[in-house]
Structures are given as structure tokens and as C-alpha cells.
Amino acid sequence: MMLAEKYLRDAMMPHMWCPGCGHGIILQAVIRAIDKAGLEHDKTVIVSGIGCSSRASGYMNFDTLHTTHGRALPFASGIKMANPDLNVIVLTGDGDALAIGGNHFIHACRRNIDITTVIFNNSIYGMTSGQYSPMTPVGQFATTSPYGNIDRNFDVCELAKSAGATYVARSTAYHAPSMPDLIVKAINNKGFSVVEAVGQCPTYYGRRNKLGSPVDMLNWQKEHAVNVAAAAHLTPEQLADKLIIGELHNSSAPEFTEKYDQLVARLQGRE
Amino acid sequence: MGRKFAVAINPKWCKKCGICAAFCPRQVFTHKAGHVPEITAEEKCIGCNQCEQRCPDFAVTVRGKNDESDS
Ligand SMILES: Cc1ncc(C[n+]2csc(CCOP(=O)(O)OP(=O)(O)O)c2C)c(N)n1
Ligand code: SF4
């Protein structure tokens, strides 16, 4: 991939992800989006938490911050508050963003702070060898659900929308060719943007759930994805095991750093 | 008709998963399990770029023959 030279840290490659892992496909889509959006290296900061997915920041040739588990958004919020001119992009896993980091996630949505968050959703904790996450679908197997998961999983897109995020979209690793455009729109949204990128962990999730090879897992994504326009004509029953992909929510609301600047200006008597 | 696209795999980065070969609509690649896929029919490439965009390892590059830019 030609863009790799421009955007990846060559010395860090090849990356640590397993053969056929979806994280590399999603990271490539992020890079294509950054390129399409024309973001400047010096004006862009990549922040991640902990997990296989969160290792993504280390491969990117930008100012990057690999933080603590679940805390990418608080660090990212600090960066954005200190210098609102920066483009801040958070790369996080379903466990990182929604288990240990779930509270930070809903409050970042609520504040509508201008950060773009890409959730690498592989339905599992990959790095720690396959515990269920809040995104593991009901009935699926993990080391911590050997008899099938009885917890209901989040729909992170619905969660983000209800909590106040102003741009929400979903794509899959199979749909890599159309994913960058959704990320570009997320980046351009002045507010908190969430892109759920459904991917695959063949090593822990795929193997334990007998989902076959990485190619089979990508085909599963293809077969279970329904575009948002087509989904409007289907019943909830028909959509029960489907992934609705595309732009799911796009609205506007006051952005946090702007409100904060206005507050400071008011208190200093500048307005 | 001359070849329009050049397809390359970086063997240092490829992890041999075979995703490129599986989703190529024109069978440009030949993949044996456990090996780096071989580009055996480059002349059939239509430049759709699906192999490159679904490669988890940034290892595949498709370039237009008269084109220096990234596709
Ligand atoms: C405070 C803390 N608790 C637990 C861990 C162990 N831990 C590391 S990664 C991880 C889960 C990662 O899952 P996810 O974010 O879905 O990423 P994936 O590895 O699947 O890409 C956990 C629980 C940790 N590093 N720090
Ligand atoms: S354990 Fe799973 S998520 Fe982690 S690198 Fe391997 S395939 Fe990817």
C-alpha cells in the first residue's frame, strides 16, 4: 500500500496483529480517510487505550499517545481542550471503549467534544486471549462464557446517538472500500463522532465460535450487513441478526471546546 | 492489450492469510495455504483495488501502469 510510506512508522512494521486480523484492514481505512480529508501531520494527534486494536497508534507516523486501558477519551479530551486546533482521533477496541472505558465514552458523547472515535469492534478482548466484552453478542462463546454469553450486548451506535454524539456511522472490514468516506465525514463533523468498524479476531473469537477462516469471517460481514437505506424497509425481526451499515446519525449541537472558550471569554469580560 | 495494472505483494509484511486472493474478482492471485500468494495473472487485473484495501498487512499494492500516484 503506497500510503503506508507516508503514514506508517516503517520501523514498527510488520505489525503485531495475527494473520487475517481485521484491525489492519480498519487501520488502512483510517489512513485512507486521513489522506482524503487532507489532515496535516503536525495538526493531527492519534490517541489509543490498551488492547490489540489500541496498538494501532504505535504504527502511525503522527504525534501519538498510547494511554491506559479505557482512558483514551479522557487523554484525548485533554489534548483537544489544550489545543482545539488539533484534529484528535481516538482508535479503540470494543472492550477498551465500552467496558472499562464505557463511562468515559458516554460522557464524551454527551459533551459533543470535537473528537473522532473509531471503535475496532471484534466482539471480544483479543489481547487478553478472548474474554467476552460488552459487544459480544448473546449466546456467543468466550473464555469467560464457556456455556454461551447471557449478557445482552450494546448497540454502540444507538448508545452513542442517545448519549449525544453528533455523527454516528457503522461499517465492516469487508466494506473497507467504502469505510474511508464515513471516517472522513466523522473527521469533518464539528463535534463528537463515532464510527463502529466491525472486524474479526480469527484467533480468539473466530476459533472459539467456529466461524472459520478470516475469509469466512469477512464473508459473514458481507452477508449480515444491510445498508441503512435498505434497512428502512425491513422489520425488526428481519433485522435481528443484521448489521446496519452506513451513516446512522448526523446532527449538530454546540461543541464543547467552543462553549468552553465562550465561557472563558465571558468570565474575562472579553465579550 | 497491454497490462494496465501492476500488482505487488511485500513479502516482508504479508502474513499469508489469503484474503487478497479470496476476494479478487479476476483470480489474479494463486494462494497455497501457508505461503505468500503469487501473482499469476496480473494481466487480468481490473484495478478494483479490493485486494489492497482488504489486506490486513498493508502488503498489497495495485498501481496503474502509467500512473505514479497511489490508486
Ligand atoms: C486497568 C486494566 N485492566 C485490565 C487490563 C487487561 N486488558 C488488556 S487489553 C484488555 C481488553 C482489550 O479488548 P479490546 O479493547 O476489545 O481490544 P482487542 O484486544 O480485542 O483489540 C484488557 C482487559 C489492563 N491492561 N488494564
Ligand atoms: S488476538 Fe485477535 S484481535 Fe488480537 S491480533 Fe490476534 S486476531 Fe487480532
Side-chain angles (χ1 to χ4, degrees), chain B residues 26-28 41-47:
Chain B
R26 291 301 181 96
Q27 283 88 46
V28 166
E42 193 178 55
E43 71 284 358
K44 291 194 201 153
C45 174
I46 51 169

Side-chain angles (χ1 to χ4, degrees), chain B:
Chain B
M1 199 177 89
R3 293 180 180 203
K4 287 196 184 138
F5 297 96
V7 185
I9 297 183
N10 176 352
K12 292 196 193 113
W13 290 6
C14 173
K15 295 201 181 114
K16 308 167 185 173
C17 67
I19 288 174
C20 53
F23 292 103
C24 173
R26 291 301 181 96
Q27 283 88 46
V28 166
F29 306 85
T30 305
H31 179 233
K32 283 195 227 98
H35 294 266
V36 174
E38 282 178 60
I39 294 145
T40 44
E42 193 178 55
E43 71 284 358
K44 291 194 201 153
C45 174
I46 51 169
C48 71
N49 219 22
Q50 295 190 62
C51 54
E52 177 172 333
Q53 295 190 39
R54 294 206 186 92
C55 171
D57 300 305
F58 302 88
V60 183
T61 306
V62 180
R63 249 185 236 141
K65 277 276 158 95
N66 301 315
D67 177 12
E68 288 301 301
S69 68
D70 187 28
S71 51

